[in-house]
Amino acid sequence: MGNEYTTHTEAMQARLLVIGSDSGGASYPITDPEFRIGRSRDNHVCLSDPSVAGAHCVIERRAGGFLIRDLAGGVGTLVNGTSVKEQVLADSDRITVGAVSLRFLAGDEAAGAAEGGTPAETWHAGDGSTLLRVSAMLHSFQAMYKGRCSSVRRVFEEHLLSLILDSIPASRGAILFYEDSLDEPSSVSVRDTEPCLRRPATIDRQIVNRVLREACVLLVAASEREPHGEGSASLALLAAPMVVRERTCGVIYLEGEGFSETHLEILAAVTDLASMAMENVYHQDWIDTERARLEPQLHPDHQMIGGSDRLRESQRNIARAAQANSTVLIMGETGTGKELVARAIHRNSVRAGQPFVAVNCAALAETLLESELFGHEKGAFTGAVTLKKGRLELAEGGTMFLDEIGEMPVSLQAKLLRVLQERQMERVGGTRPIPLDIRLIAATNRNLEEEVRAGRFRQDLYYRLNVVVLKTPALRERPTDVLPLAMHFAAKFSEQCGRRISGISREAQAYLMHYDWPGNIRELENAMERAVVLGGGDMIQLEDLPESIREIAKPAGVGGAFPLQDAVEEAKRQAVSRALAQANGDHGAAAELLGVHPHYLYRLMRHLGLR
């Protein structure tokens, strides 16, 4: 509620006079109990300004006076330069709606206006057009200012100062912006109307601090100020706050020979327009930031094939983990795509544009692994003829992926623990600590808790790694993904080999679905590569698949007979039976007679139904 005060309008004569627009001088008597102003045609005062709402505000006749009530919301209606929700009107109050100003007249003033007179104080003809130009510039400000680029903001400030100085007779204008705190401005733009002006730009801190503290518009006459220096005349000041999200973030500051209340009202209106534009920009910035944050969760870039519930759960966990900067431990069987998960986390994180560096801890000897991870100084050991940066340094700003971390030697585990604790490292043979800004993702197919109990893995390192834990599901736990993956790999290898593959036969599909895939996705990929390379037709058949898959029991639901497959199985059955008979039931000897491994013989016997 605005400041309320008693008025004497019992004469019941009240009128609105339009000033500062193309309709300047138009007069409207307020005769109805509710007098509406807006863009719609059914209002008493219809305004064409696009920034005005359809029903913008209403003036209501109350006992002993008139009250104006805002209908647009925000800072849509201003009385004497101040945004109001409701306020009792006094004679000669100035009402600003969009870029149009109206003078509320009551009593004798209203009667004088009805007879063709005008109030003693009116705006200059250019005032309304200045507000319209400011409004037009601010409408384009959102696109221009997106991202809060300082150079673009500087252009905005210069344009805004130019428009203000065209309408208000100031010798100098300045815009002070406050980003973080109100102690010191983060930027100051100054513009002089006299290019030859050589006096230094000085800002009255007391005036600025009062505007910041009270969020008020101030007019200080020259007589109330001390001169700038010896022999110089003091200047009048005009200052107005820029308020965004209920926080003062800037001040428009003008110096001149003299200002009137009309100039104060012009500056207040311009400042309100600029504040609204900036608030829209900040709100759009927030929307863009939220969209960028949520987009990876809605459409994560994971490059994972399939649609099973287990896979979708894994994808959701990847999207959540990607948004943080925490250490991630990926656990799962060999061949389940742990590195693919690590890369997906990196691609969907804020570090996506930085390096992703992967090291397999099981593939290198201890001394080589240390040099590979930490690098070495020149002369650190025999053969170290030059300085070498380690993988940890090369991953600066990005993601370091340590695969098979359960295989890392205990001596290196201590050095890795220091990296995680202190975020710094030393090269082999070096003494200078090197700061690191990396995200660590580790993967293992081992049970690290058992490794800790067995003394093969440091407990303190395990707890450092065990922050965000993701488990990659085995392929047998997501059987509905087998065929989509098989088709993906068939298409991939057919393109590489220059072969046309139209699909997978029904029988081959049944065996693929029935197999338990102990080697997981890697085994499926290898099986499809073999089928594409060795197959003869454009359709992958059962006989194109590896023997380990063909030897499983015939899947349920596979109808029809396969004469060749049945004949092969019968021949195998007879060969195994003869070998067992010759070896007197000794499986090891029978395997040697057949030229196969004993484990394969056991599997073959189960498949053939032999005891």
Side-chain angles (χ1 to χ4, degrees):
M1 187 95 172
N3 295 324
E4 296 189 9
Y5 45 86
T6 305
T7 60
H8 300 282
T9 54
E10 286 79 359
M12 291 294 109
Q13 289 204 38
R15 181 174 296 273
L16 280 183
L17 181 69
V18 181
I19 54 179
S21 77
D22 294 338
S23 302
S27 178
Y28 299 87
I30 302 175
T31 55
D32 293 340
E34 291 190 353
F35 186 86
R36 294 184 175 271
I37 304 169
R39 199 171 68 249
S40 299
R41 293 182 178 276
D42 55 352
N43 290 294
H44 293 83
V45 177
C46 178
L47 303 174
S48 59
D49 184 354
S51 65
V52 175
H56 201 97
C57 60
V58 60
I59 297 176
E60 299 175 356
R61 186 183 294 270
R62 297 289 179 89
F66 294 85
L67 177 143
I68 187 167
R69 183 159 51 87
D70 177 68
L71 303 176
V75 288
T77 304
L78 289 81
V79 176
N80 299 327
T82 302
S83 175
V84 299
K85 299 302 179 186
E86 285 187 3
Q87 180 155 316
V88 174
L89 292 172
D91 186 25
S92 297
D93 274 353
R94 188 183 303 280
I95 302 169
T96 304
V97 178
V100 178
S101 289
L102 309 102
R103 177 78 72 183
F104 173 77
L105 304 175
D108 295 337
E109 286 279 2
E115 296 170 3
T118 60
E121 180 189 357
T122 59
W123 283 15
H124 298 292
D127 297 340
S129 61
T130 298
L131 291 180
L132 288 173
R133 283 185 290 158
V134 171
S135 179
M137 184 197 77
L138 295 176
H139 272 83
S140 63
F141 174 50
Q142 181 167 331
M144 181 177 69
Y145 191 62
K146 192 172 183 180
R148 303 183 196 177
C149 172
S150 59
S151 61
V152 174
R153 189 177 69 189
R154 181 72 65 178
V155 173
F156 160 72
E157 294 168 3
E158 291 176 357
H159 280 290
L160 184 58
L161 279 175
S162 177
L163 289 170
I164 292 172
L165 295 178
D166 282 348
S167 181
I168 299 177
S171 58
R172 170 173 286 165
I175 295 181
L176 297 84
F177 266 106
Y178 296 80
E179 295 274 357
D180 302 320
S181 71
L182 299 182
D183 296 333
E184 290 293 336
S186 56
S187 68
V188 178
S189 296
V190 179
R191 184 181 179 88
D192 292 315
T193 56
E194 303 173 27
C196 59
L197 199 61
R198 287 291 181 266
R199 62 182 173 81
T202 58
I203 303 294
D204 190 322
R205 276 184 176 272
Q206 288 186 336
I207 296 298
V208 171
N209 288 339
R210 183 180 173 189
V211 171
L212 291 172
R213 185 175 62 252
E214 301 179 11
C216 62
V217 184
L218 289 182
L219 171 58
V220 181
S223 58
E224 300 175 20
R225 300 189 65 220
E226 294 293 333
H228 288 288
E230 188 176 349
S232 64
S234 59
L235 297 173
L237 289 183
L238 190 56
M242 299 178 70
V243 181
V244 176
R245 295 181 178 178
E246 300 181 355
R247 173 184 175 272
T248 303
C249 66
V251 173
I252 297 179
Y253 181 95
L254 303 178
E255 289 182 344
E257 297 295 334
F259 301 118
S260 66
E261 290 190 8
T262 299
H263 300 135
L264 182 144
E265 293 175 10
I266 296 173
L267 183 61
V270 170
T271 307
D272 284 334
L273 288 172
S275 299
M276 284 188 286
M278 290 187 67
E279 182 151 1
N280 290 338
V281 169
Y282 283 125
H283 184 65
Q284 185 62 46
D285 249 6
W286 178 83
I287 292 174
D288 292 342
T289 302
E290 284 296 290
R291 183 186 293 115
R293 183 179 68 84
L294 297 173
E295 183 68 21
Q297 299 183 30
L298 297 174
H299 306 289
D301 177 17
H302 45 66
Q303 297 184 356
M304 294 180 177
I305 309 299
S308 65
D309 292 340
R310 291 298 304 274
L311 182 64
R312 292 185 184 278
E313 180 185 0
S314 181
Q315 292 167 355
R316 287 193 294 269
N317 291 335
I318 289 170
R320 295 188 187 104
Q323 303 309 308
N325 200 39
S326 306
T327 300
V328 178
L329 178 61
I330 305 172
M331 306 182 71
E333 298 178 10
T334 299
T336 52
K338 295 187 288 295
E339 183 170 347
L340 184 67
V341 170
R343 290 184 180 275
I345 292 173
H346 174 72
R347 275 195 305 274
N348 291 281
S349 72
V350 295
R351 298 176 180 265
Q354 302 302 319
F356 177 89
V357 180
V359 172
N360 189 328
C361 299
L364 298 171
E366 179 176 350
T367 54
L368 290 177
L369 181 59
E370 182 180 17
S371 177
E372 192 71 18
L373 286 176
F374 296 92
H376 58 254
E377 298 286 351
K378 180 180 178 180
F381 50 83
T382 304
V385 294
T386 60
L387 180 147
K388 176 188 175 183
K389 289 187 176 182
R391 296 293 186 93
L392 289 167
E393 276 188 85
L394 296 176
E396 176 66 20
T399 302
M400 183 73 212
F401 175 57
L402 297 178
D403 198 6
E404 303 299 346
I405 196 169
E407 309 285 343
M408 178 178 283
V410 176
S411 59
L412 283 185
Q413 292 177 23
K415 295 192 70 172
L416 179 62
L417 178 63
R418 184 186 176 195
V419 170
L420 291 175
Q421 288 177 335
E422 301 179 14
R423 294 295 169 176
Q424 62 182 25
M425 53 151 278
E426 292 178 6
R427 300 191 189 103
V428 176
T431 56
R432 181 176 61 87
I434 300 170
L436 289 176
D437 175 23
I438 61 172
R439 183 184 194 177
L440 184 70
I441 301 179
T444 182
N445 62 354
R446 293 190 176 190
N447 187 326
L448 291 186
E449 291 183 351
E450 293 181 0
E451 296 295 305
V452 169
R453 286 193 290 268
R456 293 187 292 268
F457 201 84
R458 292 180 63 105
Q459 186 178 44
D460 46 7
L461 177 58
Y462 170 67
Y463 288 123
R464 278 287 178 179
L465 296 173
N466 192 34
V467 179
V468 177
V469 179
L470 302 182
K471 294 186 178 180
T472 53
L475 189 54
R476 63 180 172 275
E477 297 173 359
R478 37 184 286 218
T480 56
D481 294 335
V482 171
L483 292 183
L485 280 166
M487 288 300 302
H488 168 74
F489 290 132
K492 170 185 172 182
F493 293 117
S494 65
E495 183 177 352
Q496 291 181 4
C497 298
R499 276 196 58 198
R500 180 181 179 275
I501 298 296
S502 60
I504 303 173
S505 70
R506 182 173 59 86
E507 295 76 22
Q509 290 184 25
Y511 274 79
L512 290 172
M513 290 288 293
H514 197 63
Y515 187 60
D516 62 357
W517 300 104
N520 293 295
I521 299 173
R522 187 175 296 132
E523 184 182 7
L524 174 59
E525 183 177 12
N526 294 338
M528 298 313 297
E529 183 175 11
R530 176 193 186 280
V532 172
V533 172
L534 300 181
D538 61 355
M539 180 77 71
I540 293 177
Q541 302 294 337
L542 178 60
E543 56 266 24
D544 298 330
L545 300 178
E547 191 174 5
S548 58
I549 299 175
R550 300 198 309 268
E551 286 176 350
I552 63 174
K554 184 179 295 185
V558 176
F562 305 99
L564 178 60
Q565 182 73 12
D566 292 343
V568 170
E569 290 187 0
E570 182 58 32
K572 288 181 180 180
R573 188 177 289 106
Q574 292 178 10
V576 171
S577 298
R578 284 196 300 269
L580 287 171
Q582 293 176 21
N584 295 319
D586 186 335
H587 290 79
E592 188 174 352
L593 288 172
L594 292 169
V596 298
H597 194 279
H599 291 170
Y600 176 74
L601 178 59
Y602 280 115
R603 190 167 70 246
L604 183 59
M605 290 173 64
R606 286 197 302 270
H607 169 63
L608 297 173
L610 298 175
R611 302 183 63 184

